[in-house]
Amino acid sequence: MPEPSLAIRLYGTEEALGQTRLLEAGPLSAELDGGALRAIRLGGIEMIRAIAFLIRDENWGTLSPEITDLAVEETSEGFNVSYRATCEDAKRKLTYDARIAGRRDGSLDFEVTAHPHTDVLTNRTGFIVLHPLVGVAGHPVKVQHVDGPEQAAAFPDRIDPMQPFLDIRSLSHEVVPGTWVTCTMTGDTFEMEDQRNWTDASYKTYVRPLARPWPYTLKQGEPIAQTVKLSISGDRPKAVASVGAQPISVTLGGEAAGRFPTIGIGVPAEEAPYALQHIDRLKALGAKFLVCEVDRRRGDGLSELQAYRKLAEALRAEVTLEIIIPGSMDPAADLSPVAQAAAESGLAPAAIEVFPAQDMKSVLPGSPWPEMPSFEAILGAARAAFPGVRLGGGMATYFTELNRKRPPAALLDFVTHTTCPTVHAADDRSVMETLESLPYVFLSTQAFMGEKPYHVGPSSIGCRENPYGRATTPNPDNRRACLSRLDPRQRGLFNAAYTLGYAAACARGGVSALSMGAPTGPFGFIHRHMDGPHPFYESQPDGALYPAFHVMAALAADGGATLVEAKSDRKAAVEAFAYRAGKRTVLWLANLTPAVQEVLLKGVDGARIATLDETNFVEASTRVGAFEQAHTLGNAPISLLSYAVARIEIG
């Protein structure tokens, strides 16, 4: 059997990674990434997360630019970049010429002139500017409107379901005390949305207000021009000393507030028969509950419920039925076939969640809500159809929709929603950065839902359902793609690190029950043969294991454990998370980057460590218990390879 490449072990795909180039002008630096700028820093402090010119189609899909004529000039005074980009598909073609100039005084200009070669139907064409979260969330901002005086305000702390600021010409905020950056945008009217709604780790200022009609058409032959300018006022910050090759410091402390959530998995209806074929594997995974899908839009019914009952009995797991009803004005009639089928199948769910079909599509701010029964009518019908069963509510889709349409907490036994990290961007860096936004998601939900038990999931990198377009994105070529069900990283070490980071954020955020992925299929932890390429695994028998399986199995065994304080001094690079299970303390580390990270532990003696990484990927694909082969931990720094996960047991 041929050995899988490093790319397959890490990402599940051979798709080439985009190359970035660091641009520097004195204290100003930025990364050039596929024509966009990322991580724009002043004195080492991130002041703008990204500036990009985007073309989005009528389904909110982003057209990838083909970059040509790229020229980069760097001098002692600054840098200059120019290129031409072509964006086209079967329906439209647009080219644009871009010019970027960065200077030693910290100022930067990004100018674009776009030329439609056909009529271009679009939901959005123009600049977006992303502000980061660290040092920004909850902090002051000055907003200069297109027509009107400057407004003194603050970036939202809790996630704003609407647009925090409208009719924007410029935004100013402090990079460090006494140093302000002003971002001025011209060529159209801009407004801001709080991208944490979709778990993006940013505030996004974008072109063309949503109150205007969309999609709209850019006429063939009529150019458009837009500019983003950054300027610095006040004191210039001192450059931050590079950490160089210093190890990341991880400190273990005493008990923290809270407990680790109970771990479950999702079971899509189409995966239930395959799950039954892998009962032994699923027993080893050890999920304590199953979120089983019943979608009346497709007519799911008795056969699926019988399979769910068999799964639950074999796994000794509780069942939560996630029920999507047609959304008629008679929810009792919509729920009656499900209740009858459950009774006939012998399935007694521990909990149900009920969602009308209308809520499976997003409603943009300012748009009318579709006609549907009220929360009170739906939840009352659910109580009557499943008497004595715990009732959850919220959204079967994402936090965005929950934040915009908040259910009455008093009528629920628990609140629930999922997340998807590939709504706006699918590159590795953006997906992993979404972990930064999860604490804000949890705090915001608890702010309007109170102390109700909080369930999250089933969540995964892949998109379960696209509320923002007609369907999820096809992915026949095994690429990283926004809003696609099939994400190749589900099969790689990337997802193992992401899953650990996600679970850690849920634990710290007070989530009581977390479900991830599925037994098999696009969101699975266990391989089954499917259409499309699945490098390495397509040569394995059904039942081969993905790396995240081992993380889930180890976490599921410790559900309810008491949290222990663990701090990483470079949390964006290495996640550190700990809890006390019985007489032992378990410390988890996850490398969230493709670079090797050296970690120095503090406050840890007499420990044993087991690591899941590229060196034991193949073995872990066939053998349960990847974290059982531990060895004594010495005093030297721990070397974590790309997206490696380590489990350290103390005591």
Side-chain angles (χ1 to χ4, degrees), residues 470-638:
R470 295 179 181 176
T472 54
T473 304
N475 190 11
D477 299 323
N478 196 39
R479 300 166 63 91
R480 301 164 177 86
C482 289
L483 294 168
S484 175
R485 287 173 60 84
L486 273 167
D487 193 290
R489 288 164 294 197
Q490 182 72 21
R491 306 185 297 271
L493 287 158
F494 183 99
N495 190 41
Y498 175 84
T499 298
L500 192 281
Y502 197 101
C506 287
R508 296 190 187 104
V511 172
S512 52
L514 168 64
S515 55
M516 298 287 287
T520 54
F523 317 119
F525 299 107
I526 301 168
H527 177 70
R528 73 167 175 85
H529 288 292
M530 297 178 285
D531 292 338
H534 296 83
F536 173 70
Y537 284 99
E538 58 197 11
S539 64
Q540 303 297 302
D542 275 3
L545 305 176
Y546 301 152
F549 174 97
H550 304 283
V551 175
M552 285 288 291
L555 293 177
D558 292 332
T562 302
L563 301 187
V564 171
E565 184 131 7
K567 291 184 178 179
S568 166
D569 67 357
R570 272 179 265 164
K571 184 173 171 53
V574 170
E575 173 66 83
F577 170 66
Y579 49 75
R580 185 161 289 116
K583 296 182 179 180
R584 57 194 171 89
T585 296
V586 177
L587 169 64
W588 286 91
L589 302 174
N591 183 355
L592 306 181
T593 76
V596 177
Q597 303 291 349
E598 301 293 325
V599 179
L600 184 62
L601 299 185
K602 296 182 178 180
V604 175
D605 295 306
R608 292 178 60 79
I609 183 171
T611 304
L612 176 63
D613 61 25
E614 64 199 56
T615 66
N616 59 354
F617 173 92
V618 173
E619 180 185 4
S621 71
T622 59
R623 185 181 62 80
V624 172
F627 290 108
E628 293 175 358
Q629 294 185 344
H631 63 270
T632 301
L633 182 63
N635 296 322
I638 300 167

Side-chain angles (χ1 to χ4, degrees), residues 291-310:
V291 180
C292 298
E293 179 186 50
V294 178
D295 192 340
R296 294 299 296 161
R297 296 174 301 176
R298 299 187 309 229
D300 291 355
L302 185 60
S303 62
E304 290 82 7
L305 290 163
Q306 289 174 331
Y308 295 152
R309 175 184 58 78
K310 293 176 182 177

Side-chain angles (χ1 to χ4, degrees), residues 373-388:
S374 66
F375 276 124
E376 289 76 10
I378 293 170
L379 298 176
R383 292 281 190 196
F386 292 89

